[in-house]
Amino acid sequence: MDKLIGEMLIERGLVQPDDIKKALQLQQSVGGRIGAGLVRMGAIAEEQLLEVLSQQLEIPVVQSGKGLPDASALYSFIQQSRLDINWCIDNRVLIWSPAEQQLHYTGRDPLSPFVRDVLAYHYPEFAIQPCLLSSHSLDILIDYLRKELNAERFFSEGSETKGLRELAEEAPVVELVNNIFSKAVAFNASDIHLDPQEEVFRVRLRVDGVLQTHLEQPIDRYPAVASRVKLISEIDIAERRLPQDGRITTRVNGREMDVRVSTLPGVHGESIVMRLLPKDRKELSLATLGLEQDHLDLVGSLMQEANGIVLVTGPTGSGKSTTLYAALQEATDGTRKILTVEDPVEYQLPGITQVQAHAEIGYTFAKALRAFLRQDPDVIMVGEIRDLETAQIAIQSALTGHLVLSTLHTNDSLSAFTRLIDMGVEPFLVAAPIKAVQAQRLVRKVCKHCAKPTQVPESISAEFAKLERGFLGEHFVPIWMEAVGCAACNHTGYSGRMGVYEIVPISPELHDMIIANTPVTEMRKLARRQGHRSMYQDGLIKAAKGLTTVEEVMRATNIDADSE
């Protein structure tokens, strides 16, 4: 048979007779088959040898996608097969079943009687077919099997951190994680969600406030991906039982990004959420956030106040911090000392001293605020009023000649007073320093490429007609739009977001109501009588300008709309 393969190669002009002689000498000294010797000598390319062997032996040449499953499918089949995967790795044997009662295999020596006998013993009822595969492809696939098996061992048996670190630094894992970041930036996503399920893990991106699934991968790849994210965010990669937080500073698609990372243990693995925070915020201004002209004038006057508290309220992800950043950026004129304490610092603003709180070492908002008062500030921003101590120091700062900006988690603006009183602040201390409260939500803007005009119900038109809208001009004509969907907006009908707002300055009547701890419903009625529109009404104005849809406004402001 060896002579026959040599003759075939010489007949085709692929080798010279001297090459065959040298290969035979090599075979006598080190063993193996003559074809392998010719390849090792460099006398012939392996692909050419495999073509001739295929004709000689009448067995097919395979490669991934052509007669051979991909690496993931091979791994799954071998794991569930009657053979021990460790035996396959040690003997460099790959097996798969292209059809019922058929077993194909390849390896370092697919003609080995030993390999064929083992397969025949475990699969006596199957027709067994050997195949030829290049050694380079075989090495890659065997290496993949070994790494995937190691990944399972790491996460099922609890391995050393060193092993996890090696797993996370493999080139395919690094490439996948980088591609996820790149896709998120390309889609202008605000968050990346890695969600492990029973059989797959999903990569979802939050685009314009709505989650969209962009990738699904086999669950056996997830441990490596999770380890990679934890490694670059400086999270303990060996800890999988407790929630953890980390941070990444990176450059993606030419943009500098800060990434906040949060892990949460789940049934099928750790859920990982990454908040993307671009460092370049040149477009950050109140005018670009969606404030109407009357609201812009009101916020501008509030930022000129010498003292007092301005609160911005809303749920998580409603853009509160972004609004405060925009207000601070416009208030930075070089004549005032501005300090902020945040957890974390989301955007870095020039001309402002920003401080990162570290609750784990005892450096809380309250402790930072006490230090601020010794820094002679004019304006102080507190990332969030979370507890009574922070609220009391913020009020004290406002009463002693400082302008304090902060956020609060409430459903609407006027609920802020109730929230502070529930924290334990006396009603008269709540009423005294607060200059205004603002509530906001984010609504998606219609896609400029596919939106089309539409009609709205009479009730909507009537509601809009009752609004005070002199700032729109006396000849303003509503242009209601409908979301359609196209390739430019990923068939959602929307692209980008803007805010809808409710801003209520504290009038003497409202001040008295706060001291009397009047129900929020009564304070809301007073605010409407004084001409302050709700978020729902502000959204209607934006819908009438053709910037968003009525449906989107009602979705984002449903609590406020119900109260209308």
Side-chain angles (χ1 to χ4, degrees):
M1 184 179 293
D2 288 336
K3 180 181 178 182
L4 181 59
I5 187 64
E7 289 178 350
M8 293 177 68
L9 292 172
I10 292 173
E11 288 173 2
R12 287 164 172 75
L14 297 174
V15 297
Q16 300 299 318
D18 286 347
D19 295 327
I20 298 297
K21 291 179 183 178
K22 292 177 183 177
L24 287 171
Q25 293 172 355
L26 183 64
Q27 184 185 34
Q28 290 174 355
S29 61
V30 300
R33 298 189 181 274
I34 189 172
L38 288 167
V39 173
R40 186 180 304 175
M41 290 164 42
I44 188 173
E46 187 178 19
E47 289 75 12
Q48 294 174 314
L49 175 66
L50 291 180
E51 288 181 11
V52 179
L53 279 174
S54 177
Q55 295 174 11
Q56 180 207 25
L57 303 173
E58 296 184 347
I59 61 177
V61 179
V62 296
Q63 56 182 314
S64 291
K66 293 184 179 180
L68 182 70
D70 65 21
S72 177
L74 274 173
Y75 179 77
S76 298
F77 179 82
I78 296 173
Q79 270 287 56
Q80 299 168 18
S81 73
R82 302 172 190 176
L83 293 175
D84 184 351
I85 191 172
N86 291 290
W87 182 88
C88 292
I89 292 172
D90 293 340
N91 290 275
R92 304 180 68 75
V93 173
L94 302 175
I95 63 172
W96 66 98
S97 179
E100 191 174 352
Q101 300 296 301
Q102 291 185 25
L103 185 74
H104 286 197
Y105 76 96
T106 189
R108 179 174 50 191
D109 184 3
L111 300 180
S112 166
F114 167 68
V115 172
R116 189 173 182 88
D117 288 346
V118 170
L119 297 179
Y121 174 79
H122 286 282
Y123 290 90
E125 75 280 20
F126 277 59
I128 299 175
Q129 170 68 58
C131 299
L132 297 171
L133 178 69
S134 70
S135 58
H136 174 68
S137 298
L138 179 65
D139 290 342
I140 291 175
L141 291 169
I142 292 295
D143 192 44
Y144 177 86
L145 296 185
R146 184 181 293 111
K147 289 171 182 173
E148 291 296 298
L149 185 63
N150 287 341
E152 283 195 4
R153 288 173 179 165
F154 287 144
F155 284 85
S156 62
E157 300 172 7
S159 70
E160 296 297 325
T161 301
K162 180 181 177 183
L164 293 173
R165 196 174 296 272
E166 291 173 353
L167 182 69
E169 291 177 346
E170 296 293 342
V173 177
V174 173
E175 183 179 350
L176 176 58
V177 172
N178 289 344
N179 285 341
I180 290 172
F181 279 124
S182 180
K183 179 175 282 191
V185 172
F187 278 88
N188 287 320
S190 60
D191 301 86
I192 302 171
H193 290 243
L194 304 182
D195 298 324
Q197 307 295 318
E198 187 172 358
E199 297 181 352
V200 299
F201 76 89
R202 294 185 299 173
V203 178
R204 296 193 291 170
L205 307 180
R206 188 176 294 280
V207 181
D208 295 335
V210 179
L211 279 176
Q212 303 173 5
T213 300
H214 281 265
L215 181 67
E216 283 194 356
Q217 292 277 299
I219 190 63
D220 53 14
R221 299 182 183 180
Y222 188 67
V225 174
S227 291
R228 176 64 186 171
V229 173
K230 293 167 72 175
L231 179 67
I232 61 179
S233 57
E234 299 183 354
I235 292 176
D236 183 358
I237 60 177
E239 177 58 72
R240 301 186 303 279
R241 299 167 299 173
L242 297 173
Q244 296 187 83
D245 295 302
R247 194 180 185 98
I248 305 168
T249 298
T250 185
R251 186 177 182 85
V252 184
N253 294 2
R255 298 181 66 187
E256 294 289 338
M257 305 288 293
D258 277 332
V259 185
R260 284 163 42 191
V261 181
S262 171
T263 70
L264 182 69
V267 174
H268 301 297
E270 290 177 287
S271 171
I272 299 178
V273 176
M274 292 171 275
R275 169 66 59 87
L276 305 179
L277 304 167
K279 286 188 176 182
D280 54 321
R281 301 292 295 184
K282 296 177 182 177
E283 77 282 4
L284 194 64
S285 68
L286 290 172
T288 61
L289 296 183
L291 276 80
E292 300 298 335
Q293 189 59 51
D294 59 336
H295 282 172
L296 279 172
D297 295 340
L298 182 54
V299 172
S301 64
L302 289 171
M303 291 304 297
Q304 299 306 313
E305 293 280 352
N307 56 68
I309 296 178
V310 177
L311 291 176
V312 179
T313 71
T316 301
S318 59
K320 301 184 300 295
S321 296
T322 303
T323 298
L324 289 182
Y325 280 124
L328 284 176
Q329 187 153 297
E330 295 199 359
T332 307
D333 55 7
T335 64
R336 292 193 287 180
K337 172 81 168 182
I338 301 177
L339 300 176
T340 77
V341 56
E342 307 161 60
D343 185 18
V345 175
E346 294 188 3
Y347 307 125
Q348 296 179 10
L349 300 176
I352 295 175
T353 302
Q354 296 174 267
V355 176
Q356 169 76 54
H358 291 284
E360 63 274 11
I361 61 172
Y363 192 51
T364 60
F365 282 158
K367 183 167 288 188
L369 277 174
R370 288 194 182 93
F372 280 9
L373 296 179
R374 296 189 291 273
Q375 288 279 312
D376 186 31
D378 297 292
V379 181
I380 298 171
M381 185 188 108
V382 187
E384 181 186 345
I385 295 179
R386 299 175 179 173
D387 51 52
L388 176 60
E389 185 180 15
T390 305
Q392 288 175 332
I393 300 173
I395 290 171
Q396 177 187 350
S397 302
L399 292 174
T400 54
H402 306 90
L403 178 61
V404 179
L405 312 178
S406 190
T407 70
L408 206 60
H409 283 272
T410 63
N411 283 331
D412 64 2
S413 57
L414 296 169
S415 297
F417 310 120
T418 306
R419 178 83 179 91
L420 290 171
I421 292 171
D422 287 343
M423 283 184 186
V425 181
E426 293 294 336
F428 71 91
L429 281 177
V430 172
I434 295 181
K435 299 291 185 179
V437 286
Q438 172 180 315
Q440 64 181 72
R441 298 288 189 276
L442 294 177
V443 297
R444 293 178 292 172
K445 295 190 289 187
V446 292
C447 175
K448 296 178 180 178
H449 299 281
C450 60
K452 63 180 184 180
T454 187
Q455 299 294 321
V456 296
E458 183 61 34
S459 58
I460 299 294
S461 298
E463 177 74 20
F464 175 73
K466 291 188 292 185
L467 296 178
E468 168 55 46
R469 55 184 193 279
F471 53 87
L472 296 176
E474 57 180 296
H475 301 298
F476 176 79
V477 177
I479 304 174
W480 309 100
M481 301 299 285
E482 175 185 3
V484 179
C486 64
C489 60
N490 201 25
H491 301 285
T492 62
Y494 298 94
S495 179
R497 288 191 292 177
M498 66 191 308
V500 293
Y501 304 91
E502 175 185 38
I503 306 180
V504 181
I506 307 305
S507 63
E509 296 88 350
L510 198 53
H511 180 277
D512 294 340
M513 281 187 166
I514 297 169
I515 293 177
N517 205 1
T518 304
V520 173
T521 52
E522 296 300 317
M523 289 192 284
R524 187 178 294 124
K525 291 177 182 178
L526 174 64
R528 299 294 172 265
R529 290 197 300 269
Q530 292 178 342
H532 305 302
R533 59 182 178 273
S534 66
M535 289 181 287
Y536 170 66
Q537 292 169 333
D538 192 54
L540 282 186
I541 290 175
K542 291 172 173 64
K545 293 167 73 174
L547 300 175
T548 186
T549 64
V550 173
E551 292 79 10
E552 178 68 8
V553 171
M554 297 186 74
R555 179 194 67 82
T557 63
N558 58 339
I559 295 175
D560 195 58
D562 291 342
S563 69
E564 299 300 317

